Amino acid sequence: MNNSELNNRVVARGKEFFSTISGEKPSLFNKGAWMGKVMDWSMKNETFKIQMFRFVDVFPSLTTGKLLTDHIREYFGEEKDMPPVLSTGAKVAGMLGSFGGAVLNKFLTTNIQEMARQFIVGENTKEAIKNMERLRKDGFAFVVDVLGEATLSEKEADIYMNTYLELLDSLKKEYKDWKPLPGRGGDGSLDWGHAPKVNVAVKPTALFCLANPQDFEGSVVAILERVRKIAEKVMDLNGFLCIDMESYRHKDIIIEVYKRLKLEYPAYPHFGLVLQAYLVDTDKDLPELLSWAREKKVQISLRLVKGAYWDYETVKAKQNDWKVPVWTIKAESDAAYERQARMILENSDICHFACASHNIRTISAVMEMAKELNVPDERYEFQVLYGMAEPVRKGILKVAGRIRLYCPYGDMVPGMGYLVRRLLENTANESFLRQSFAEDAQIERLLEDPALTAERERAARAAKQKAEAKGPGNLPPFNNEAMVDFTRADHRAAFPETIAEVRKQLGKTYPLFINGKEVKTGDTIPSVNPNKPSETVGIVCQAGTKEVGDAIAAAKGAFPAWRDTDIKVRAEYLVKAAAVARRRIFELSAWQVLEIGKQWDQAYADVCEAIDFLEYYAREMITLGSPKRIGHAPGELNHYFYEPKGVAAVISPWNFPLAISMGMVSAAIVAGNCVVFKPSGLTSVIGYHIVELFREVGLPEGVFNYTPGRGSVMGDYLVDSPDISLIAFTGSMEVGLRIIERAAKVYPGQENVKKIVCEMGGKNAIIIDDDADLDEAVPHVLYSAFGFQGQKCSACSRVIVLDAVYDKFVERLVSMAQATLVGSSEDPAHYMGAVADDKAMKTIKEYAEIGKKEGHVLYESKVPSDGGYYVPMTIIGGIKPEHRIAQEEIFGPVLAVMRAKDFDQAIAWANSTKFALTGGVFSRSPEHLAQARKEFRVGNLYLNRNNTGALVGRQPFGGSKMSGVGTKAGGHDYLLHFMDPRVVTENTMRRGFAPVEEDDDWVA
Ligand SMILES: Cc1cc2nc3c(=O)[nH]c(=O)nc-3n(C[C@H](O)[C@H](O)[C@H](O)COP(=O)(O)OP(=O)(O)OC[C@H]3O[C@@H](n4cnc5c(N)ncnc54)[C@H](O)[C@@H]3O)c2cc1C
């Protein structure tokens, strides 16, 4: 049969389908009921939709009448301003008026719970089984799924697994008594003559809380361990187990889990996997899986869905500058579905097929293809979600005689997350159900061949494509460097390979670099691997005062020519250096893993940030570079422009050894200053890479000089030098303040008042509000506090939790911490590695001891005893604002937990230190978020996310109070600190004649 013939049959079948259900509507769109009204209003009013769905999301956390009333007011306004679906509904029910808020509370609670019940088959096992039995009586098979909160700990993973085991035990008692659903012959004890009566679906990431593609093997093994236990029970019932597919990040892990499970039980036919047609990868994954099954001689089963996370996938990819993994035209997903369904049906001898869709075109296509290919009934079935598309499921039952409903069950908290996903799915403009049943779109259009629709829409999109935008100096507009993508096997493999390569280069001696020449000195210090201090990363020559003096002289000598170099040429050096760093990105990351103990992702992010600074400041300088006319009086020209200050000393820390160093160095250089760079003694080998980058691009001699050295020998000499005009420093408050003090003194011969760009410490707090989403808050706090061992000035070191959620939050935080491992950062299974050096180790341990006296230990991890500089992950409760560990910067993995009585107190405590760098708030109260914006006084405030990882250009970084002098690295005004503004005014009037400038305020 050719394509158009087949398409004609599909369209005819679709039309017939529509006619059999004519006049019926899914209950979702029934405007006679409250839910239908909400859906209707949401589709007409985007603002209401956002507020309503967000309210549904927060609803299970609103455990008191006051919380509920406050949130209703915050989300929907006062009663008089409320949309009719809320106020009229309540009024009709005779509930408003004298009772006020409490009545509205009840009205909303009842209706939202009712709405959730639409999609959830029960709140507990008993109720779920009872309702599924009822569905069976109506002719519907089921696949049951346990709803769970995000799994954050081993304990939660066990609870999730045990719920399945108990569910299976309960089903075991019941299922034999169920009358099999009718079919054509086959095994009389099975549904339809061939299908197990018990069918369960599991979400694999709920079985391991740290599932993460960076630790691919560890994730597969851990998930498989629990899946296996469920699978064994399923086999005991001769049931069916389907492994659901989740976000793209975990796709390859899930496929691998499925394959390993299949190979453990090769003869068992009833293990299924889900593939998502909206993923571009599926065109490759599907044939690979089918070939694998043939090669291994195993029977597989695939449920094909379009995919439930389209918005999430596109947003995440855009945020990280990754290739969007999903099709971006709806018809492309539909066409992919039909293409892939055909491939599965063509392989029906080895692959059982579950067609999961509510789309009548998709279902009709599968029916017609199966017919054309003579696929026996027992090799394919249809599935829809419980609570959705009732007319469609009825239609399928009538035509195919077999349909399975996907039935989630569980309690309200996870239930609401599921409900929101379904509401979003059904109100999306692209939804087939919405178009068919809420908008009555033309049937012809709904049944059109999606391959043709996709082609037409692609052409229309190409015609609309705008010319590529240009940034300053005709460079492409600034875009953050893409983050490492561990879903890619090549990125995962790159780390061990490059670390092994870099390891071969360890132990070399690194010279100074002054005036374009390498300079060796007799004084050297080794730089070691903190995870393995016996391993010397490099031996670094140390500058004494003579060498620093030479470097300053070289910089001073190079300055006039560099100052007068065309700004675009200066910027080009940065862009070229960025290209070199990009080419070497894995290698530069590997050096960080070995020299300072960064985890793979942390190391890569540091190199990305260095590249971002180069690219960003290059463009910023081009923008700032041309003189701007100010004032418009005729006969007068005023030009405002900038000049560099002279010689800049750049003193950088070890914690972002390439990023922060490169940020300060590149800002100084592109602004026209010449630099004497002192890296940290702990990361001088990484510092030397800046020499290599600038050498490769041919930066003129003397513009950049590299002088690692002992602070005690050359630090003051550098700061005090009369030839230094600017000091850019990032590091501790003590050193920063000392530099500021010393730099204030003017020495003989000094021509400039020294400008200080100074970033210092933090004592950053995250507030957990009483309505916070703990599924989000817990992992973000853990990451903010313990990512890179808490050695970031932005790291969270205090978490201030509102009394109402304190116990639950702490319990989940500690349980998640317990699941993590401490060990060498080379191994991606380790959440935390060693701290910077033995000194840091000692100081942090001392603070942990202080904390133990001030409060009580909630968690202290084990650490390896292999000689690495390890410090336990430490969480201390019972901390008050006056305690030392609530006030002093520790710079390590010690987290103070504080219990606040309300949000006002939490904000007051958050502001109660001398620092003001970063802060965070997890809250779903619009009023509290607004209050935090205003009153939580820090340089970088993060709402509902982690409080580290600021991106150049997107989150310019820097604080005030004792955290810094108010500069923002990676922001528009950063370069201004590296330059002096000048104004030149010319009187253009000569003997009464003044030329007219275009923008003169001339007499009209
Ligand atoms: C039994 C069953 C089990 C399921 N299990 C899973 C699972 O394990 N994992 C999972 O992810 N989902 C799962 N789902 C959910 C499923 O992904 C959605 O219900 C499904 O995508 C809706 O598709 P449709 O054909 O019913 O509707 P349609 O309205 O035809 O399609 C909607 C879908 O099109 C896609 N889409 C929307 N906009 C665009 C766009 N602009 N460009 C490209 N594509 C777009 C999205 O996938 C969206 O969900 C399951 C569904 C069922 C019925």
Side-chain angles (χ1 to χ4, degrees), residues 906-934:
I907 292 267
W909 285 2
N911 285 330
S912 72
T913 73
K914 59 188 172 213
F915 297 104
L917 188 51
T918 73
V921 177
F922 280 87
S923 173
R924 286 179 282 187
S925 153
E927 276 185 8
H928 284 176
L929 291 173
Q931 183 182 352
R933 278 174 194 274
K934 220 166 108 195

PDB file of all heavy atoms in Angstrom, residues 906-934:
ATOM      1  N   ALA A 906      13.074  35.334  59.745  1.00  0.00           N
ATOM      2  CA  ALA A 906      14.041  34.694  58.847  1.00  0.00           C
ATOM      3  C   ALA A 906      14.813  35.753  58.049  1.00  0.00           C
ATOM      4  O   ALA A 906      16.033  35.680  57.905  1.00  0.00           O
ATOM      5  CB  ALA A 906      13.318  33.736  57.903  1.00  0.00           C
ATOM      6  N   ILE A 907      14.105  36.755  57.554  1.00  0.00           N
ATOM      7  CA  ILE A 907      14.778  37.820  56.783  1.00  0.00           C
ATOM      8  C   ILE A 907      15.733  38.589  57.705  1.00  0.00           C
ATOM      9  O   ILE A 907      16.882  38.880  57.334  1.00  0.00           O
ATOM     10  CB  ILE A 907      13.734  38.811  56.191  1.00  0.00           C
ATOM     11  CG1 ILE A 907      12.911  38.115  55.109  1.00  0.00           C
ATOM     12  CG2 ILE A 907      14.384  40.071  55.688  1.00  0.00           C
ATOM     13  CD1 ILE A 907      13.412  38.273  53.696  1.00  0.00           C
ATOM     14  N   ALA A 908      15.277  38.891  58.915  1.00  0.00           N
ATOM     15  CA  ALA A 908      16.131  39.647  59.846  1.00  0.00           C
ATOM     16  C   ALA A 908      17.399  38.849  60.138  1.00  0.00           C
ATOM     17  O   ALA A 908      18.510  39.389  60.132  1.00  0.00           O
ATOM     18  CB  ALA A 908      15.365  39.948  61.135  1.00  0.00           C
ATOM     19  N   TRP A 909      17.261  37.558  60.372  1.00  0.00           N
ATOM     20  CA  TRP A 909      18.436  36.721  60.639  1.00  0.00           C
ATOM     21  C   TRP A 909      19.348  36.637  59.412  1.00  0.00           C
ATOM     22  O   TRP A 909      20.566  36.681  59.519  1.00  0.00           O
ATOM     23  CB  TRP A 909      18.011  35.302  61.043  1.00  0.00           C
ATOM     24  CG  TRP A 909      17.483  35.221  62.446  1.00  0.00           C
ATOM     25  CD1 TRP A 909      17.320  36.251  63.319  1.00  0.00           C
ATOM     26  CD2 TRP A 909      17.035  34.038  63.117  1.00  0.00           C
ATOM     27  NE1 TRP A 909      16.795  35.790  64.502  1.00  0.00           N
ATOM     28  CE2 TRP A 909      16.617  34.430  64.405  1.00  0.00           C
ATOM     29  CE3 TRP A 909      16.935  32.701  62.765  1.00  0.00           C
ATOM     30  CZ2 TRP A 909      16.120  33.524  65.341  1.00  0.00           C
ATOM     31  CZ3 TRP A 909      16.444  31.792  63.689  1.00  0.00           C
ATOM     32  CH2 TRP A 909      16.036  32.199  64.966  1.00  0.00           C
ATOM     33  N   ALA A 910      18.717  36.509  58.251  1.00  0.00           N
ATOM     34  CA  ALA A 910      19.533  36.413  57.028  1.00  0.00           C
ATOM     35  C   ALA A 910      20.405  37.650  56.867  1.00  0.00           C
ATOM     36  O   ALA A 910      21.559  37.572  56.444  1.00  0.00           O
ATOM     37  CB  ALA A 910      18.628  36.239  55.815  1.00  0.00           C
ATOM     38  N   ASN A 911      19.850  38.811  57.246  1.00  0.00           N
ATOM     39  CA  ASN A 911      20.596  40.079  57.090  1.00  0.00           C
ATOM     40  C   ASN A 911      21.525  40.371  58.267  1.00  0.00           C
ATOM     41  O   ASN A 911      22.141  41.431  58.302  1.00  0.00           O
ATOM     42  CB  ASN A 911      19.604  41.246  56.958  1.00  0.00           C
ATOM     43  CG  ASN A 911      18.945  41.284  55.588  1.00  0.00           C
ATOM     44  OD1 ASN A 911      19.542  40.873  54.597  1.00  0.00           O
ATOM     45  ND2 ASN A 911      17.718  41.774  55.528  1.00  0.00           N
ATOM     46  N   SER A 912      21.596  39.451  59.216  1.00  0.00           N
ATOM     47  CA  SER A 912      22.236  39.830  60.481  1.00  0.00           C
ATOM     48  C   SER A 912      23.757  39.615  60.526  1.00  0.00           C
ATOM     49  O   SER A 912      24.341  39.621  61.591  1.00  0.00           O
ATOM     50  CB  SER A 912      21.598  39.027  61.625  1.00  0.00           C
ATOM     51  OG  SER A 912      22.017  37.670  61.527  1.00  0.00           O
ATOM     52  N   THR A 913      24.398  39.421  59.387  1.00  0.00           N
ATOM     53  CA  THR A 913      25.858  39.291  59.418  1.00  0.00           C
ATOM     54  C   THR A 913      26.489  40.517  58.757  1.00  0.00           C
ATOM     55  O   THR A 913      25.780  41.335  58.161  1.00  0.00           O
ATOM     56  CB  THR A 913      26.336  38.039  58.654  1.00  0.00           C
ATOM     57  OG1 THR A 913      26.193  38.284  57.265  1.00  0.00           O
ATOM     58  CG2 THR A 913      25.552  36.795  59.038  1.00  0.00           C
ATOM     59  N   LYS A 914      27.816  40.586  58.843  1.00  0.00           N
ATOM     60  CA  LYS A 914      28.478  41.732  58.213  1.00  0.00           C
ATOM     61  C   LYS A 914      28.634  41.550  56.700  1.00  0.00           C
ATOM     62  O   LYS A 914      29.113  42.430  56.014  1.00  0.00           O
ATOM     63  CB  LYS A 914      29.838  41.958  58.866  1.00  0.00           C
ATOM     64  CG  LYS A 914      30.787  40.789  58.785  1.00  0.00           C
ATOM     65  CD  LYS A 914      32.026  41.057  59.636  1.00  0.00           C
ATOM     66  CE  LYS A 914      32.871  39.802  59.700  1.00  0.00           C
ATOM     67  NZ  LYS A 914      33.579  39.634  60.938  1.00  0.00           N
ATOM     68  N   PHE A 915      28.257  40.376  56.199  1.00  0.00           N
ATOM     69  CA  PHE A 915      28.406  40.112  54.757  1.00  0.00           C
ATOM     70  C   PHE A 915      27.090  40.349  54.013  1.00  0.00           C
ATOM     71  O   PHE A 915      26.022  40.338  54.621  1.00  0.00           O
ATOM     72  CB  PHE A 915      28.823  38.658  54.540  1.00  0.00           C
ATOM     73  CG  PHE A 915      30.166  38.321  55.145  1.00  0.00           C
ATOM     74  CD1 PHE A 915      30.252  37.594  56.330  1.00  0.00           C
ATOM     75  CD2 PHE A 915      31.339  38.728  54.530  1.00  0.00           C
ATOM     76  CE1 PHE A 915      31.481  37.278  56.883  1.00  0.00           C
ATOM     77  CE2 PHE A 915      32.581  38.413  55.084  1.00  0.00           C
ATOM     78  CZ  PHE A 915      32.650  37.682  56.268  1.00  0.00           C
ATOM     79  N   ALA A 916      27.210  40.539  52.721  1.00  0.00           N
ATOM     80  CA  ALA A 916      25.998  40.678  51.890  1.00  0.00           C
ATOM     81  C   ALA A 916      26.332  40.231  50.477  1.00  0.00           C
ATOM     82  O   ALA A 916      26.412  41.028  49.552  1.00  0.00           O
ATOM     83  CB  ALA A 916      25.509  42.124  51.890  1.00  0.00           C
ATOM     84  N   LEU A 917      26.560  38.920  50.343  1.00  0.00           N
ATOM     85  CA  LEU A 917      26.971  38.437  49.019  1.00  0.00           C
ATOM     86  C   LEU A 917      25.812  37.751  48.292  1.00  0.00           C
ATOM     87  O   LEU A 917      25.189  38.330  47.421  1.00  0.00           O
ATOM     88  CB  LEU A 917      28.187  37.513  49.161  1.00  0.00           C
ATOM     89  CG  LEU A 917      28.849  37.094  47.852  1.00  0.00           C
ATOM     90  CD1 LEU A 917      29.153  38.282  46.975  1.00  0.00           C
ATOM     91  CD2 LEU A 917      30.123  36.303  48.125  1.00  0.00           C
ATOM     92  N   THR A 918      25.529  36.489  48.681  1.00  0.00           N
ATOM     93  CA  THR A 918      24.389  35.840  48.027  1.00  0.00           C
ATOM     94  C   THR A 918      23.338  35.465  49.073  1.00  0.00           C
ATOM     95  O   THR A 918      23.622  35.451  50.276  1.00  0.00           O
ATOM     96  CB  THR A 918      24.787  34.549  47.275  1.00  0.00           C
ATOM     97  OG1 THR A 918      25.062  33.520  48.221  1.00  0.00           O
ATOM     98  CG2 THR A 918      25.978  34.761  46.378  1.00  0.00           C
ATOM     99  N   GLY A 919      22.182  35.143  48.588  1.00  0.00           N
ATOM    100  CA  GLY A 919      21.111  34.679  49.476  1.00  0.00           C
ATOM    101  C   GLY A 919      20.108  33.914  48.642  1.00  0.00           C
ATOM    102  O   GLY A 919      20.124  34.001  47.407  1.00  0.00           O
ATOM    103  N   GLY A 920      19.281  33.164  49.318  1.00  0.00           N
ATOM    104  CA  GLY A 920      18.274  32.405  48.584  1.00  0.00           C
ATOM    105  C   GLY A 920      16.993  32.310  49.379  1.00  0.00           C
ATOM    106  O   GLY A 920      16.994  32.413  50.614  1.00  0.00           O
ATOM    107  N   VAL A 921      15.887  32.129  48.657  1.00  0.00           N
ATOM    108  CA  VAL A 921      14.596  31.930  49.326  1.00  0.00           C
ATOM    109  C   VAL A 921      13.837  30.843  48.558  1.00  0.00           C
ATOM    110  O   VAL A 921      13.752  30.903  47.328  1.00  0.00           O
ATOM    111  CB  VAL A 921      13.742  33.222  49.301  1.00  0.00           C
ATOM    112  CG1 VAL A 921      12.381  32.967  49.937  1.00  0.00           C
ATOM    113  CG2 VAL A 921      14.445  34.360  50.015  1.00  0.00           C
ATOM    114  N   PHE A 922      13.346  29.867  49.281  1.00  0.00           N
ATOM    115  CA  PHE A 922      12.401  28.917  48.691  1.00  0.00           C
ATOM    116  C   PHE A 922      11.031  29.225  49.269  1.00  0.00           C
ATOM    117  O   PHE A 922      10.809  29.068  50.473  1.00  0.00           O
ATOM    118  CB  PHE A 922      12.811  27.472  48.977  1.00  0.00           C
ATOM    119  CG  PHE A 922      13.902  27.017  48.049  1.00  0.00           C
ATOM    120  CD1 PHE A 922      15.232  27.235  48.355  1.00  0.00           C
ATOM    121  CD2 PHE A 922      13.588  26.419  46.849  1.00  0.00           C
ATOM    122  CE1 PHE A 922      16.239  26.842  47.476  1.00  0.00           C
ATOM    123  CE2 PHE A 922      14.578  26.029  45.955  1.00  0.00           C
ATOM    124  CZ  PHE A 922      15.912  26.242  46.276  1.00  0.00           C
ATOM    125  N   SER A 923      10.149  29.704  48.433  1.00  0.00           N
ATOM    126  CA  SER A 923       8.817  30.084  48.886  1.00  0.00           C
ATOM    127  C   SER A 923       7.872  30.049  47.694  1.00  0.00           C
ATOM    128  O   SER A 923       8.297  30.281  46.556  1.00  0.00           O
ATOM    129  CB  SER A 923       8.851  31.507  49.457  1.00  0.00           C
ATOM    130  OG  SER A 923       7.542  31.930  49.751  1.00  0.00           O
ATOM    131  N   ARG A 924       6.600  29.765  47.969  1.00  0.00           N
ATOM    132  CA  ARG A 924       5.613  29.883  46.898  1.00  0.00           C
ATOM    133  C   ARG A 924       4.582  30.952  47.248  1.00  0.00           C
ATOM    134  O   ARG A 924       3.492  30.969  46.710  1.00  0.00           O
ATOM    135  CB  ARG A 924       4.964  28.518  46.640  1.00  0.00           C
ATOM    136  CG  ARG A 924       5.921  27.586  45.911  1.00  0.00           C
ATOM    137  CD  ARG A 924       5.346  26.218  45.653  1.00  0.00           C
ATOM    138  NE  ARG A 924       5.371  25.395  46.849  1.00  0.00           N
ATOM    139  CZ  ARG A 924       5.052  24.098  46.865  1.00  0.00           C
ATOM    140  NH1 ARG A 924       4.697  23.499  45.748  1.00  0.00           N
ATOM    141  NH2 ARG A 924       5.090  23.402  47.981  1.00  0.00           N
ATOM    142  N   SER A 925       4.988  31.822  48.198  1.00  0.00           N
ATOM    143  CA  SER A 925       4.110  32.937  48.552  1.00  0.00           C
ATOM    144  C   SER A 925       4.548  34.174  47.772  1.00  0.00           C
ATOM    145  O   SER A 925       5.656  34.678  47.969  1.00  0.00           O
ATOM    146  CB  SER A 925       4.220  33.216  50.061  1.00  0.00           C
ATOM    147  OG  SER A 925       3.924  34.571  50.318  1.00  0.00           O
ATOM    148  N   PRO A 926       3.703  34.670  46.856  1.00  0.00           N
ATOM    149  CA  PRO A 926       4.099  35.859  46.091  1.00  0.00           C
ATOM    150  C   PRO A 926       4.482  37.027  47.000  1.00  0.00           C
ATOM    151  O   PRO A 926       5.421  37.767  46.701  1.00  0.00           O
ATOM    152  CB  PRO A 926       2.853  36.181  45.265  1.00  0.00           C
ATOM    153  CG  PRO A 926       2.114  34.887  45.147  1.00  0.00           C
ATOM    154  CD  PRO A 926       2.397  34.142  46.426  1.00  0.00           C
ATOM    155  N   GLU A 927       3.783  37.160  48.140  1.00  0.00           N
ATOM    156  CA  GLU A 927       4.106  38.294  49.023  1.00  0.00           C
ATOM    157  C   GLU A 927       5.474  38.131  49.657  1.00  0.00           C
ATOM    158  O   GLU A 927       6.245  39.077  49.782  1.00  0.00           O
ATOM    159  CB  GLU A 927       3.040  38.442  50.110  1.00  0.00           C
ATOM    160  CG  GLU A 927       1.867  39.240  49.592  1.00  0.00           C
ATOM    161  CD  GLU A 927       0.819  39.540  50.650  1.00  0.00           C
ATOM    162  OE1 GLU A 927       1.052  39.269  51.847  1.00  0.00           O
ATOM    163  OE2 GLU A 927      -0.247  40.034  50.253  1.00  0.00           O
ATOM    164  N   HIS A 928       5.797  36.924  50.071  1.00  0.00           N
ATOM    165  CA  HIS A 928       7.100  36.710  50.685  1.00  0.00           C
ATOM    166  C   HIS A 928       8.229  36.870  49.672  1.00  0.00           C
ATOM    167  O   HIS A 928       9.299  37.390  49.999  1.00  0.00           O
ATOM    168  CB  HIS A 928       7.156  35.325  51.343  1.00  0.00           C
ATOM    169  CG  HIS A 928       6.403  35.284  52.642  1.00  0.00           C
ATOM    170  ND1 HIS A 928       6.246  34.151  53.380  1.00  0.00           N
ATOM    171  CD2 HIS A 928       5.768  36.263  53.331  1.00  0.00           C
ATOM    172  CE1 HIS A 928       5.547  34.426  54.467  1.00  0.00           C
ATOM    173  NE2 HIS A 928       5.228  35.694  54.447  1.00  0.00           N
ATOM    174  N   LEU A 929       7.977  36.444  48.467  1.00  0.00           N
ATOM    175  CA  LEU A 929       9.014  36.622  47.445  1.00  0.00           C
ATOM    176  C   LEU A 929       9.241  38.109  47.183  1.00  0.00           C
ATOM    177  O   LEU A 929      10.377  38.562  47.043  1.00  0.00           O
ATOM    178  CB  LEU A 929       8.633  35.887  46.156  1.00  0.00           C
ATOM    179  CG  LEU A 929       8.646  34.346  46.263  1.00  0.00           C
ATOM    180  CD1 LEU A 929       8.104  33.708  44.996  1.00  0.00           C
ATOM    181  CD2 LEU A 929      10.043  33.822  46.549  1.00  0.00           C
ATOM    182  N   ALA A 930       8.141  38.867  47.165  1.00  0.00           N
ATOM    183  CA  ALA A 930       8.280  40.319  46.956  1.00  0.00           C
ATOM    184  C   ALA A 930       9.010  40.959  48.137  1.00  0.00           C
ATOM    185  O   ALA A 930       9.873  41.832  47.963  1.00  0.00           O
ATOM    186  CB  ALA A 930       6.898  40.944  46.776  1.00  0.00           C
ATOM    187  N   GLN A 931       8.675  40.513  49.328  1.00  0.00           N
ATOM    188  CA  GLN A 931       9.337  41.052  50.523  1.00  0.00           C
ATOM    189  C   GLN A 931      10.850  40.754  50.477  1.00  0.00           C
ATOM    190  O   GLN A 931      11.680  41.614  50.791  1.00  0.00           O
ATOM    191  CB  GLN A 931       8.720  40.413  51.780  1.00  0.00           C
ATOM    192  CG  GLN A 931       9.277  40.958  53.078  1.00  0.00           C
ATOM    193  CD  GLN A 931       8.670  40.245  54.298  1.00  0.00           C
ATOM    194  OE1 GLN A 931       7.731  39.460  54.165  1.00  0.00           O
ATOM    195  NE2 GLN A 931       9.209  40.537  55.474  1.00  0.00           N
ATOM    196  N   ALA A 932      11.192  39.537  50.049  1.00  0.00           N
ATOM    197  CA  ALA A 932      12.608  39.176  49.977  1.00  0.00           C
ATOM    198  C   ALA A 932      13.344  40.041  48.961  1.00  0.00           C
ATOM    199  O   ALA A 932      14.458  40.516  49.219  1.00  0.00           O
ATOM    200  CB  ALA A 932      12.749  37.695  49.625  1.00  0.00           C
ATOM    201  N   ARG A 933      12.730  40.287  47.809  1.00  0.00           N
ATOM    202  CA  ARG A 933      13.364  41.147  46.802  1.00  0.00           C
ATOM    203  C   ARG A 933      13.751  42.484  47.414  1.00  0.00           C
ATOM    204  O   ARG A 933      14.796  43.043  47.120  1.00  0.00           O
ATOM    205  CB  ARG A 933      12.377  41.453  45.660  1.00  0.00           C
ATOM    206  CG  ARG A 933      12.273  40.395  44.629  1.00  0.00           C
ATOM    207  CD  ARG A 933      11.158  40.741  43.633  1.00  0.00           C
ATOM    208  NE  ARG A 933      10.836  39.587  42.835  1.00  0.00           N
ATOM    209  CZ  ARG A 933      11.474  39.229  41.717  1.00  0.00           C
ATOM    210  NH1 ARG A 933      12.447  39.996  41.250  1.00  0.00           N
ATOM    211  NH2 ARG A 933      11.146  38.156  41.057  1.00  0.00           N
ATOM    212  N   LYS A 934      12.862  42.975  48.273  1.00  0.00           N
ATOM    213  CA  LYS A 934      13.066  44.307  48.832  1.00  0.00           C
ATOM    214  C   LYS A 934      14.007  44.287  50.035  1.00  0.00           C
ATOM    215  O   LYS A 934      14.894  45.115  50.162  1.00  0.00           O
ATOM    216  CB  LYS A 934      11.691  44.840  49.275  1.00  0.00           C
ATOM    217  CG  LYS A 934      11.490  46.297  48.964  1.00  0.00           C
ATOM    218  CD  LYS A 934      10.049  46.678  49.089  1.00  0.00           C
ATOM    219  CE  LYS A 934       9.882  47.531  50.330  1.00  0.00           C
ATOM    220  NZ  LYS A 934       8.523  47.661  50.745  1.00  0.00           N
TER     221      LYS A 934
END
